[in-house]
Amino acid sequence: RGQCDMFKVSYLLGGSNPLPFNSGADAAAAQIRLMFAAVHAASLTRALPARESDFSGCLELHFTGEADALAAAQRDVTGLLTEGTEVLQRVVGHERVVMRSPDFFTRDMIKGVYPFCRKSGMSVETFQQYWWQVHGPIAALTEDALGYIQIHPFQAYYSEMEHHYDGITEIYWPDEETADLALVSRQMVEDQGSDAPNFVDLDSIGLFLAKEEIVIQG
């Protein structure tokens, strides 16, 4: 995916079926292009098996226009999903890249997806500024991470959609073992953990580790 300003729609998926998507890459790409004429890039993110989580994966669509992203976020995507899979939440906003390694686009990776809500009483503007400017540089030092990305919902998400989460953090690692070690590292537990209460509702944090398959390359 390119470095232009991107607007991202994340459909967070759950349900009884551990395999959330009903098609492979080529068929899914064709379906997505038929449904979303303005789509710039798309990926199917499947949660790793045998890990307890409320989420089974995530359908992620990228657009170059805010209005296109907002319209897409309100579309029914059940035709792309397997029986027993449902859309738990939809988040739409700016994709803000904090850190990517030089070989980010050439590596096979494990992706950590963290949807969460802002601290009670904190305005959206203050929350996003703190997350980006204060916490972002701390989280960018996550051990052995290959990439760290924030999804910041834009104003229309709050005014025109039923919403829940205030943001999604995405962290990429080379493999599952590296991800597991990073999750219990001092940097994540102490450095990031001590800062999180300043802007995060800790009870709202979700997490799933996943494999991301890019089906439309931007």
Side-chain angles (χ1 to χ4, degrees):
R1 292 188 293 268
Q3 294 300 310
C4 61
D5 195 15
M6 279 288 117
F7 302 98
K8 183 170 183 177
V9 184
S10 297
Y11 303 84
L12 295 164
L13 309 175
S16 59
N17 197 325
L19 301 174
F21 303 106
N22 64 18
S23 301
D26 292 342
Q31 286 180 281
I32 291 168
R33 284 194 167 102
L34 281 174
M35 295 175 65
F36 305 99
V39 70
H40 179 79
S43 59
L44 310 179
T45 296
R46 299 172 174 87
L48 298 182
R51 284 178 173 266
E52 186 175 345
S53 173
D54 293 332
F55 303 101
S56 60
C58 186
L59 170 65
E60 296 163 293
L61 307 177
H62 289 79
F63 298 86
T64 57
E66 180 176 324
D68 290 328
L70 183 64
Q74 300 178 72
R75 291 282 302 275
D76 181 2
V77 296
T78 53
L80 297 165
L81 309 178
T82 53
E83 184 176 357
T85 299
E86 60 180 325
V87 177
L88 301 180
Q89 298 289 340
R90 304 159 188 253
V91 180
V92 56
H94 298 269
E95 179 181 71
R96 308 183 92 177
V97 177
V98 181
M99 181 274 289
R100 279 179 179 153
S101 68
D103 59 348
F104 179 87
F105 292 106
T106 64
R107 294 287 300 269
D108 186 38
M109 297 180 288
I110 291 294
K111 176 179 179 178
V113 182
Y114 293 81
F116 65 97
C117 298
R118 68 187 188 274
K119 182 180 178 180
S120 177
M122 198 174 205
S123 71
V124 172
E125 182 179 11
T126 300
F127 157 74
Q128 291 186 351
Q129 183 179 42
Y130 189 96
W131 183 23
W132 175 248
Q133 296 183 349
V134 179
H135 190 77
I138 299 172
L141 299 176
T142 299
E143 287 193 4
D144 297 311
L146 301 173
Y148 170 66
I149 295 168
Q150 299 176 352
I151 310 302
H152 288 241
F154 41 66
Q155 188 56 47
Y157 170 74
Y158 292 98
S159 61
E160 299 183 29
M161 289 183 61
E162 180 181 351
H163 65 273
H164 178 66
Y165 290 115
D166 292 297
I168 299 177
T169 288
E170 299 174 350
I171 305 179
Y172 293 80
W173 290 279
D175 51 54
E176 191 173 353
E177 180 181 6
T178 303
D180 284 334
L181 290 173
L183 290 172
V184 296
S185 67
R186 187 210 60 79
Q187 199 283 335
M188 184 165 277
V189 173
E190 296 183 15
D191 294 357
Q192 296 185 49
S194 62
D195 185 55
N198 294 323
F199 72 109
V200 174
D201 173 1
L202 299 181
D203 292 333
S204 73
I205 300 174
L207 166 65
F208 62 99
L209 295 180
K211 289 288 291 183
E212 179 183 56
E213 181 181 17
I214 297 174
V215 297
I216 299 176
Q217 182 77 50

